[in-house]
Amino acid sequence: MLPLERPVRIGPREVVLVDDLVLTHLSGPLAERLMPIASEDADLPLYVEQEQADALSELHPGLPLYGLWQVLIASGLIPAEPGLYQITTDSSPHEGRYLLRESGGAYSGRIANETPLDAFLPDEATSEPVLIDPMPEHLHLPPQPIQTLRHRQTQKARARLRTLTLAGLMALGSAFVGTATDRILSHRHAQKAQQAELLQEQTFQLQQDLTRLETSGRIEPIDQSHRLDQLLILSRHFQPVELPRTSVLAAPMLSAIVHPLGLLPPTEPAGLPARQISHQPDGSLRIAW
């Protein structure tokens, strides 16, 4: 005798068995009240009354619901050949349940005093019923329980939570990328400003050197336009460039240190006629011309 509509342990889990129906042909009025559930036998379609399943889910929160015939089919207790199969439950006042399997369809219903109560059983079905009397510990649960209203609401809530979490992660990632980009651009702007200030100091030094030469009586003109063009190339380079604080007029050969920007390794400024190029231990690039 199997218990219905109350907790029962089947295998390692505590579940609730409910009355389900095997119906090959579902009529219109019944279709409005019944909800299909998973069956491991394609020839035995299963249904359960949706209001009853939702009410039992509210009565036993946290326990999964399975149909009586759903579990018997999953346990391999319903033969594939046609026949009349019967099982006894603890449901009152009608304890018996039957399943009629024919070549053209299958039906199930209740039995009272060895008489079928439902209208699905044909009159010509007079075969001797096969009694099924399993112990709960010998049964197997199907992989999918009945999808009750509570379960559907929980699934919707979880799906909504996953969507919100994904949207939050995407927004957080966008904010992080935006902040990182802003910091990189700010750092690059600060480096360019520092480089412009250094070039301004170099230009001022050139002007002072020219003024000193003019006052000292030096006549021949000094053309520093070529070096100024080279300094202009350095100022337009996309990576930070460090120049020595020496007079570009007095130095016979100029040198500069090119630092990496982010993950990009230092590269030689395009258009600069470098004579010597050497990699420094800190990852920077020393260029002399």
PDB file of all heavy atoms in Angstrom, residues 202 224 226-227 230-231 234 242-257 272-278 286-289:
ATOM      1  N   GLN A 202      63.855  73.371 -22.994  1.00  0.00           N
ATOM      2  CA  GLN A 202      64.925  73.221 -23.987  1.00  0.00           C
ATOM      3  C   GLN A 202      64.918  74.397 -24.972  1.00  0.00           C
ATOM      4  O   GLN A 202      65.981  74.922 -25.353  1.00  0.00           O
ATOM      5  CB  GLN A 202      64.743  71.900 -24.749  1.00  0.00           C
ATOM      6  CG  GLN A 202      64.909  70.654 -23.895  1.00  0.00           C
ATOM      7  CD  GLN A 202      66.375  70.301 -23.681  1.00  0.00           C
ATOM      8  OE1 GLN A 202      67.267  70.996 -24.165  1.00  0.00           O
ATOM      9  NE2 GLN A 202      66.620  69.247 -22.932  1.00  0.00           N
ATOM     10  N   GLN A 224      69.681  75.517 -35.967  1.00  0.00           N
ATOM     11  CA  GLN A 224      69.255  74.397 -35.097  1.00  0.00           C
ATOM     12  C   GLN A 224      67.886  73.845 -35.515  1.00  0.00           C
ATOM     13  O   GLN A 224      67.231  73.147 -34.735  1.00  0.00           O
ATOM     14  CB  GLN A 224      69.193  74.872 -33.640  1.00  0.00           C
ATOM     15  CG  GLN A 224      70.537  75.220 -33.039  1.00  0.00           C
ATOM     16  CD  GLN A 224      71.416  73.995 -32.858  1.00  0.00           C
ATOM     17  OE1 GLN A 224      70.909  72.876 -32.786  1.00  0.00           O
ATOM     18  NE2 GLN A 224      72.728  74.204 -32.797  1.00  0.00           N
ATOM     19  N   HIS A 226      67.169  71.603 -37.641  1.00  0.00           N
ATOM     20  CA  HIS A 226      67.134  70.139 -37.767  1.00  0.00           C
ATOM     21  C   HIS A 226      66.887  69.485 -36.412  1.00  0.00           C
ATOM     22  O   HIS A 226      66.095  68.555 -36.280  1.00  0.00           O
ATOM     23  CB  HIS A 226      68.452  69.648 -38.372  1.00  0.00           C
ATOM     24  CG  HIS A 226      68.465  68.162 -38.626  1.00  0.00           C
ATOM     25  ND1 HIS A 226      67.595  67.548 -39.499  1.00  0.00           N
ATOM     26  CD2 HIS A 226      69.254  67.169 -38.108  1.00  0.00           C
ATOM     27  CE1 HIS A 226      67.825  66.250 -39.516  1.00  0.00           C
ATOM     28  NE2 HIS A 226      68.838  65.991 -38.676  1.00  0.00           N
ATOM     29  N   ARG A 227      67.589  69.990 -35.373  1.00  0.00           N
ATOM     30  CA  ARG A 227      67.373  69.409 -34.043  1.00  0.00           C
ATOM     31  C   ARG A 227      65.977  69.728 -33.505  1.00  0.00           C
ATOM     32  O   ARG A 227      65.371  68.937 -32.796  1.00  0.00           O
ATOM     33  CB  ARG A 227      68.445  69.921 -33.085  1.00  0.00           C
ATOM     34  CG  ARG A 227      69.797  69.262 -33.317  1.00  0.00           C
ATOM     35  CD  ARG A 227      70.699  69.392 -32.127  1.00  0.00           C
ATOM     36  NE  ARG A 227      71.894  68.577 -32.295  1.00  0.00           N
ATOM     37  CZ  ARG A 227      72.866  68.483 -31.380  1.00  0.00           C
ATOM     38  NH1 ARG A 227      72.765  69.175 -30.263  1.00  0.00           N
ATOM     39  NH2 ARG A 227      73.928  67.728 -31.576  1.00  0.00           N
ATOM     40  N   GLN A 230      63.713  67.250 -34.856  1.00  0.00           N
ATOM     41  CA  GLN A 230      63.825  65.970 -34.153  1.00  0.00           C
ATOM     42  C   GLN A 230      63.096  66.015 -32.812  1.00  0.00           C
ATOM     43  O   GLN A 230      62.442  65.041 -32.395  1.00  0.00           O
ATOM     44  CB  GLN A 230      65.296  65.622 -33.960  1.00  0.00           C
ATOM     45  CG  GLN A 230      66.033  65.348 -35.265  1.00  0.00           C
ATOM     46  CD  GLN A 230      67.521  65.167 -35.062  1.00  0.00           C
ATOM     47  OE1 GLN A 230      68.046  65.416 -33.978  1.00  0.00           O
ATOM     48  NE2 GLN A 230      68.219  64.732 -36.119  1.00  0.00           N
ATOM     49  N   LEU A 231      63.213  67.159 -32.114  1.00  0.00           N
ATOM     50  CA  LEU A 231      62.481  67.303 -30.850  1.00  0.00           C
ATOM     51  C   LEU A 231      60.969  67.294 -31.080  1.00  0.00           C
ATOM     52  O   LEU A 231      60.193  66.782 -30.269  1.00  0.00           O
ATOM     53  CB  LEU A 231      62.921  68.589 -30.138  1.00  0.00           C
ATOM     54  CG  LEU A 231      64.358  68.627 -29.643  1.00  0.00           C
ATOM     55  CD1 LEU A 231      64.680  69.988 -29.040  1.00  0.00           C
ATOM     56  CD2 LEU A 231      64.614  67.515 -28.616  1.00  0.00           C
ATOM     57  N   LEU A 234      59.846  63.778 -31.382  1.00  0.00           N
ATOM     58  CA  LEU A 234      59.730  63.152 -30.063  1.00  0.00           C
ATOM     59  C   LEU A 234      58.462  63.589 -29.346  1.00  0.00           C
ATOM     60  O   LEU A 234      57.802  62.800 -28.662  1.00  0.00           O
ATOM     61  CB  LEU A 234      60.966  63.490 -29.216  1.00  0.00           C
ATOM     62  CG  LEU A 234      62.282  62.861 -29.648  1.00  0.00           C
ATOM     63  CD1 LEU A 234      63.414  63.358 -28.759  1.00  0.00           C
ATOM     64  CD2 LEU A 234      62.206  61.341 -29.588  1.00  0.00           C
ATOM     65  N   GLU A 242      61.556  60.648 -22.361  1.00  0.00           N
ATOM     66  CA  GLU A 242      62.323  61.384 -21.348  1.00  0.00           C
ATOM     67  C   GLU A 242      63.611  61.910 -21.991  1.00  0.00           C
ATOM     68  O   GLU A 242      64.382  61.136 -22.573  1.00  0.00           O
ATOM     69  CB  GLU A 242      62.650  60.463 -20.165  1.00  0.00           C
ATOM     70  CG  GLU A 242      63.465  61.131 -19.083  1.00  0.00           C
ATOM     71  CD  GLU A 242      63.826  60.152 -17.976  1.00  0.00           C
ATOM     72  OE1 GLU A 242      63.290  59.020 -17.982  1.00  0.00           O
ATOM     73  OE2 GLU A 242      64.650  60.516 -17.111  1.00  0.00           O
ATOM     74  N   LEU A 243      63.814  63.228 -21.893  1.00  0.00           N
ATOM     75  CA  LEU A 243      64.994  63.866 -22.468  1.00  0.00           C
ATOM     76  C   LEU A 243      65.946  64.285 -21.344  1.00  0.00           C
ATOM     77  O   LEU A 243      65.498  64.694 -20.265  1.00  0.00           O
ATOM     78  CB  LEU A 243      64.599  65.097 -23.276  1.00  0.00           C
ATOM     79  CG  LEU A 243      63.826  64.832 -24.576  1.00  0.00           C
ATOM     80  CD1 LEU A 243      63.337  66.142 -25.148  1.00  0.00           C
ATOM     81  CD2 LEU A 243      64.700  64.099 -25.581  1.00  0.00           C
ATOM     82  N   PRO A 244      67.247  64.202 -21.553  1.00  0.00           N
ATOM     83  CA  PRO A 244      68.193  64.660 -20.523  1.00  0.00           C
ATOM     84  C   PRO A 244      68.143  66.183 -20.386  1.00  0.00           C
ATOM     85  O   PRO A 244      67.914  66.903 -21.356  1.00  0.00           O
ATOM     86  CB  PRO A 244      69.542  64.169 -21.042  1.00  0.00           C
ATOM     87  CG  PRO A 244      69.343  64.078 -22.518  1.00  0.00           C
ATOM     88  CD  PRO A 244      67.925  63.662 -22.749  1.00  0.00           C
ATOM     89  N   ARG A 245      68.348  66.657 -19.181  1.00  0.00           N
ATOM     90  CA  ARG A 245      68.320  68.100 -18.937  1.00  0.00           C
ATOM     91  C   ARG A 245      69.690  68.730 -19.257  1.00  0.00           C
ATOM     92  O   ARG A 245      70.400  69.216 -18.382  1.00  0.00           O
ATOM     93  CB  ARG A 245      67.903  68.366 -17.493  1.00  0.00           C
ATOM     94  CG  ARG A 245      66.490  67.923 -17.174  1.00  0.00           C
ATOM     95  CD  ARG A 245      66.116  68.244 -15.736  1.00  0.00           C
ATOM     96  NE  ARG A 245      64.754  67.867 -15.465  1.00  0.00           N
ATOM     97  CZ  ARG A 245      63.695  68.665 -15.651  1.00  0.00           C
ATOM     98  NH1 ARG A 245      63.895  69.899 -16.109  1.00  0.00           N
ATOM     99  NH2 ARG A 245      62.479  68.257 -15.383  1.00  0.00           N
ATOM    100  N   THR A 246      70.076  68.673 -20.517  1.00  0.00           N
ATOM    101  CA  THR A 246      71.336  69.273 -20.988  1.00  0.00           C
ATOM    102  C   THR A 246      71.032  70.167 -22.170  1.00  0.00           C
ATOM    103  O   THR A 246      69.956  70.082 -22.784  1.00  0.00           O
ATOM    104  CB  THR A 246      72.342  68.194 -21.403  1.00  0.00           C
ATOM    105  OG1 THR A 246      71.768  67.382 -22.432  1.00  0.00           O
ATOM    106  CG2 THR A 246      72.702  67.311 -20.224  1.00  0.00           C
ATOM    107  N   SER A 247      71.954  70.996 -22.492  1.00  0.00           N
ATOM    108  CA  SER A 247      71.764  71.901 -23.610  1.00  0.00           C
ATOM    109  C   SER A 247      71.845  71.118 -24.911  1.00  0.00           C
ATOM    110  O   SER A 247      72.830  70.429 -25.172  1.00  0.00           O
ATOM    111  CB  SER A 247      72.825  73.004 -23.585  1.00  0.00           C
ATOM    112  OG  SER A 247      72.745  73.785 -24.760  1.00  0.00           O
ATOM    113  N   VAL A 248      70.796  71.212 -25.720  1.00  0.00           N
ATOM    114  CA  VAL A 248      70.809  70.521 -27.004  1.00  0.00           C
ATOM    115  C   VAL A 248      71.750  71.201 -27.992  1.00  0.00           C
ATOM    116  O   VAL A 248      72.074  70.648 -29.040  1.00  0.00           O
ATOM    117  CB  VAL A 248      69.384  70.456 -27.585  1.00  0.00           C
ATOM    118  CG1 VAL A 248      68.499  69.631 -26.708  1.00  0.00           C
ATOM    119  CG2 VAL A 248      68.816  71.851 -27.766  1.00  0.00           C
ATOM    120  N   LEU A 249      72.173  72.391 -27.662  1.00  0.00           N
ATOM    121  CA  LEU A 249      73.097  73.086 -28.549  1.00  0.00           C
ATOM    122  C   LEU A 249      74.522  72.614 -28.327  1.00  0.00           C
ATOM    123  O   LEU A 249      75.296  72.440 -29.263  1.00  0.00           O
ATOM    124  CB  LEU A 249      72.994  74.597 -28.321  1.00  0.00           C
ATOM    125  CG  LEU A 249      73.890  75.473 -29.202  1.00  0.00           C
ATOM    126  CD1 LEU A 249      73.523  75.310 -30.671  1.00  0.00           C
ATOM    127  CD2 LEU A 249      73.786  76.926 -28.772  1.00  0.00           C
ATOM    128  N   ALA A 250      74.868  72.397 -27.030  1.00  0.00           N
ATOM    129  CA  ALA A 250      76.241  72.032 -26.710  1.00  0.00           C
ATOM    130  C   ALA A 250      76.494  70.547 -26.906  1.00  0.00           C
ATOM    131  O   ALA A 250      77.633  70.142 -27.150  1.00  0.00           O
ATOM    132  CB  ALA A 250      76.563  72.432 -25.263  1.00  0.00           C
ATOM    133  N   ALA A 251      75.483  69.719 -26.769  1.00  0.00           N
ATOM    134  CA  ALA A 251      75.697  68.274 -26.846  1.00  0.00           C
ATOM    135  C   ALA A 251      75.955  67.848 -28.278  1.00  0.00           C
ATOM    136  O   ALA A 251      75.185  68.189 -29.184  1.00  0.00           O
ATOM    137  CB  ALA A 251      74.492  67.542 -26.298  1.00  0.00           C
ATOM    138  N   PRO A 252      77.036  67.111 -28.521  1.00  0.00           N
ATOM    139  CA  PRO A 252      77.311  66.667 -29.898  1.00  0.00           C
ATOM    140  C   PRO A 252      76.314  65.605 -30.366  1.00  0.00           C
ATOM    141  O   PRO A 252      76.069  65.473 -31.557  1.00  0.00           O
ATOM    142  CB  PRO A 252      78.730  66.105 -29.802  1.00  0.00           C
ATOM    143  CG  PRO A 252      78.876  65.701 -28.377  1.00  0.00           C
ATOM    144  CD  PRO A 252      78.080  66.691 -27.576  1.00  0.00           C
ATOM    145  N   MET A 253      75.823  64.815 -29.436  1.00  0.00           N
ATOM    146  CA  MET A 253      74.852  63.762 -29.794  1.00  0.00           C
ATOM    147  C   MET A 253      73.751  63.749 -28.735  1.00  0.00           C
ATOM    148  O   MET A 253      74.027  63.762 -27.536  1.00  0.00           O
ATOM    149  CB  MET A 253      75.531  62.388 -29.870  1.00  0.00           C
ATOM    150  CG  MET A 253      74.595  61.289 -30.354  1.00  0.00           C
ATOM    151  SD  MET A 253      75.448  59.713 -30.667  1.00  0.00           S
ATOM    152  CE  MET A 253      76.016  59.288 -29.013  1.00  0.00           C
ATOM    153  N   LEU A 254      72.495  63.718 -29.169  1.00  0.00           N
ATOM    154  CA  LEU A 254      71.359  63.719 -28.252  1.00  0.00           C
ATOM    155  C   LEU A 254      70.904  62.282 -27.974  1.00  0.00           C
ATOM    156  O   LEU A 254      71.112  61.378 -28.793  1.00  0.00           O
ATOM    157  CB  LEU A 254      70.195  64.514 -28.844  1.00  0.00           C
ATOM    158  CG  LEU A 254      70.433  66.010 -29.041  1.00  0.00           C
ATOM    159  CD1 LEU A 254      69.191  66.669 -29.600  1.00  0.00           C
ATOM    160  CD2 LEU A 254      70.848  66.661 -27.722  1.00  0.00           C
ATOM    161  N   SER A 255      70.267  62.110 -26.823  1.00  0.00           N
ATOM    162  CA  SER A 255      69.708  60.803 -26.462  1.00  0.00           C
ATOM    163  C   SER A 255      68.383  61.020 -25.762  1.00  0.00           C
ATOM    164  O   SER A 255      68.134  62.077 -25.174  1.00  0.00           O
ATOM    165  CB  SER A 255      70.673  60.019 -25.546  1.00  0.00           C
ATOM    166  OG  SER A 255      70.846  60.700 -24.325  1.00  0.00           O
ATOM    167  N   ALA A 256      67.554  60.016 -25.809  1.00  0.00           N
ATOM    168  CA  ALA A 256      66.240  60.074 -25.167  1.00  0.00           C
ATOM    169  C   ALA A 256      65.856  58.673 -24.701  1.00  0.00           C
ATOM    170  O   ALA A 256      66.330  57.659 -25.247  1.00  0.00           O
ATOM    171  CB  ALA A 256      65.186  60.623 -26.130  1.00  0.00           C
ATOM    172  N   ILE A 257      65.010  58.638 -23.690  1.00  0.00           N
ATOM    173  CA  ILE A 257      64.508  57.360 -23.149  1.00  0.00           C
ATOM    174  C   ILE A 257      63.024  57.262 -23.487  1.00  0.00           C
ATOM    175  O   ILE A 257      62.229  58.137 -23.127  1.00  0.00           O
ATOM    176  CB  ILE A 257      64.704  57.268 -21.626  1.00  0.00           C
ATOM    177  CG1 ILE A 257      66.175  57.434 -21.258  1.00  0.00           C
ATOM    178  CG2 ILE A 257      64.183  55.930 -21.114  1.00  0.00           C
ATOM    179  CD1 ILE A 257      67.071  56.342 -21.804  1.00  0.00           C
ATOM    180  N   LEU A 272      62.849  59.440 -36.852  1.00  0.00           N
ATOM    181  CA  LEU A 272      64.009  59.894 -36.085  1.00  0.00           C
ATOM    182  C   LEU A 272      65.240  59.104 -36.524  1.00  0.00           C
ATOM    183  O   LEU A 272      65.260  57.868 -36.437  1.00  0.00           O
ATOM    184  CB  LEU A 272      63.755  59.676 -34.590  1.00  0.00           C
ATOM    185  CG  LEU A 272      64.777  60.309 -33.648  1.00  0.00           C
ATOM    186  CD1 LEU A 272      64.692  61.843 -33.724  1.00  0.00           C
ATOM    187  CD2 LEU A 272      64.535  59.850 -32.214  1.00  0.00           C
ATOM    188  N   PRO A 273      66.311  59.757 -37.008  1.00  0.00           N
ATOM    189  CA  PRO A 273      67.504  59.036 -37.496  1.00  0.00           C
ATOM    190  C   PRO A 273      68.371  58.558 -36.331  1.00  0.00           C
ATOM    191  O   PRO A 273      69.384  59.186 -35.990  1.00  0.00           O
ATOM    192  CB  PRO A 273      68.216  60.089 -38.350  1.00  0.00           C
ATOM    193  CG  PRO A 273      67.821  61.392 -37.726  1.00  0.00           C
ATOM    194  CD  PRO A 273      66.434  61.219 -37.220  1.00  0.00           C
ATOM    195  N   ALA A 274      67.966  57.499 -35.695  1.00  0.00           N
ATOM    196  CA  ALA A 274      68.685  57.008 -34.521  1.00  0.00           C
ATOM    197  C   ALA A 274      69.980  56.318 -34.929  1.00  0.00           C
ATOM    198  O   ALA A 274      70.031  55.555 -35.901  1.00  0.00           O
ATOM    199  CB  ALA A 274      67.802  56.050 -33.747  1.00  0.00           C
ATOM    200  N   ARG A 275      71.053  56.610 -34.176  1.00  0.00           N
ATOM    201  CA  ARG A 275      72.341  55.951 -34.390  1.00  0.00           C
ATOM    202  C   ARG A 275      72.506  54.732 -33.488  1.00  0.00           C
ATOM    203  O   ARG A 275      73.111  53.738 -33.881  1.00  0.00           O
ATOM    204  CB  ARG A 275      73.481  56.940 -34.126  1.00  0.00           C
ATOM    205  CG  ARG A 275      73.487  58.146 -35.040  1.00  0.00           C
ATOM    206  CD  ARG A 275      74.643  59.074 -34.678  1.00  0.00           C
ATOM    207  NE  ARG A 275      74.625  60.290 -35.471  1.00  0.00           N
ATOM    208  CZ  ARG A 275      75.491  61.297 -35.312  1.00  0.00           C
ATOM    209  NH1 ARG A 275      76.454  61.190 -34.388  1.00  0.00           N
ATOM    210  NH2 ARG A 275      75.411  62.378 -36.062  1.00  0.00           N
ATOM    211  N   GLN A 276      72.031  54.872 -32.290  1.00  0.00           N
ATOM    212  CA  GLN A 276      72.156  53.778 -31.325  1.00  0.00           C
ATOM    213  C   GLN A 276      70.790  53.529 -30.677  1.00  0.00           C
ATOM    214  O   GLN A 276      70.106  54.481 -30.281  1.00  0.00           O
ATOM    215  CB  GLN A 276      73.180  54.118 -30.234  1.00  0.00           C
ATOM    216  CG  GLN A 276      74.599  54.307 -30.748  1.00  0.00           C
ATOM    217  CD  GLN A 276      75.552  54.687 -29.633  1.00  0.00           C
ATOM    218  OE1 GLN A 276      75.157  54.781 -28.476  1.00  0.00           O
ATOM    219  NE2 GLN A 276      76.825  54.894 -29.983  1.00  0.00           N
ATOM    220  N   ILE A 277      70.441  52.272 -30.539  1.00  0.00           N
ATOM    221  CA  ILE A 277      69.189  51.869 -29.875  1.00  0.00           C
ATOM    222  C   ILE A 277      69.526  50.738 -28.912  1.00  0.00           C
ATOM    223  O   ILE A 277      70.106  49.718 -29.312  1.00  0.00           O
ATOM    224  CB  ILE A 277      68.131  51.390 -30.883  1.00  0.00           C
ATOM    225  CG1 ILE A 277      67.790  52.516 -31.866  1.00  0.00           C
ATOM    226  CG2 ILE A 277      66.880  50.922 -30.159  1.00  0.00           C
ATOM    227  CD1 ILE A 277      66.813  52.098 -32.944  1.00  0.00           C
ATOM    228  N   SER A 278      69.209  50.932 -27.640  1.00  0.00           N
ATOM    229  CA  SER A 278      69.519  49.899 -26.645  1.00  0.00           C
ATOM    230  C   SER A 278      68.353  49.768 -25.675  1.00  0.00           C
ATOM    231  O   SER A 278      67.719  50.752 -25.296  1.00  0.00           O
ATOM    232  CB  SER A 278      70.804  50.266 -25.878  1.00  0.00           C
ATOM    233  OG  SER A 278      70.664  51.524 -25.235  1.00  0.00           O
ATOM    234  N   ARG A 286      66.467  53.192 -24.989  1.00  0.00           N
ATOM    235  CA  ARG A 286      67.348  54.360 -25.100  1.00  0.00           C
ATOM    236  C   ARG A 286      67.731  54.539 -26.563  1.00  0.00           C
ATOM    237  O   ARG A 286      68.226  53.627 -27.216  1.00  0.00           O
ATOM    238  CB  ARG A 286      68.605  54.187 -24.243  1.00  0.00           C
ATOM    239  CG  ARG A 286      69.507  55.437 -24.237  1.00  0.00           C
ATOM    240  CD  ARG A 286      70.731  55.207 -23.350  1.00  0.00           C
ATOM    241  NE  ARG A 286      71.566  56.400 -23.279  1.00  0.00           N
ATOM    242  CZ  ARG A 286      72.465  56.751 -24.188  1.00  0.00           C
ATOM    243  NH1 ARG A 286      72.675  55.963 -25.235  1.00  0.00           N
ATOM    244  NH2 ARG A 286      73.180  57.860 -24.041  1.00  0.00           N
ATOM    245  N   ILE A 287      67.502  55.782 -27.052  1.00  0.00           N
ATOM    246  CA  ILE A 287      67.778  56.106 -28.445  1.00  0.00           C
ATOM    247  C   ILE A 287      68.761  57.267 -28.476  1.00  0.00           C
ATOM    248  O   ILE A 287      68.577  58.280 -27.775  1.00  0.00           O
ATOM    249  CB  ILE A 287      66.485  56.491 -29.196  1.00  0.00           C
ATOM    250  CG1 ILE A 287      65.477  55.334 -29.128  1.00  0.00           C
ATOM    251  CG2 ILE A 287      66.783  56.843 -30.641  1.00  0.00           C
ATOM    252  CD1 ILE A 287      64.163  55.669 -29.726  1.00  0.00           C
ATOM    253  N   ALA A 288      69.803  57.139 -29.273  1.00  0.00           N
ATOM    254  CA  ALA A 288      70.784  58.206 -29.433  1.00  0.00           C
ATOM    255  C   ALA A 288      70.892  58.554 -30.903  1.00  0.00           C
ATOM    256  O   ALA A 288      70.838  57.662 -31.770  1.00  0.00           O
ATOM    257  CB  ALA A 288      72.152  57.783 -28.886  1.00  0.00           C
ATOM    258  N   TRP A 289      71.040  59.850 -31.214  1.00  0.00           N
ATOM    259  CA  TRP A 289      71.171  60.306 -32.591  1.00  0.00           C
ATOM    260  C   TRP A 289      72.060  61.534 -32.687  1.00  0.00           C
ATOM    261  O   TRP A 289      72.354  62.171 -31.719  1.00  0.00           O
ATOM    262  CB  TRP A 289      69.791  60.590 -33.203  1.00  0.00           C
ATOM    263  CG  TRP A 289      69.110  61.779 -32.619  1.00  0.00           C
ATOM    264  CD1 TRP A 289      69.108  63.052 -33.106  1.00  0.00           C
ATOM    265  CD2 TRP A 289      68.331  61.816 -31.424  1.00  0.00           C
ATOM    266  NE1 TRP A 289      68.371  63.879 -32.321  1.00  0.00           N
ATOM    267  CE2 TRP A 289      67.872  63.136 -31.276  1.00  0.00           C
ATOM    268  CE3 TRP A 289      67.975  60.866 -30.464  1.00  0.00           C
ATOM    269  CZ2 TRP A 289      67.098  63.536 -30.195  1.00  0.00           C
ATOM    270  CZ3 TRP A 289      67.182  61.265 -29.424  1.00  0.00           C
ATOM    271  CH2 TRP A 289      66.754  62.595 -29.292  1.00  0.00           C
TER     272      TRP A 289
END
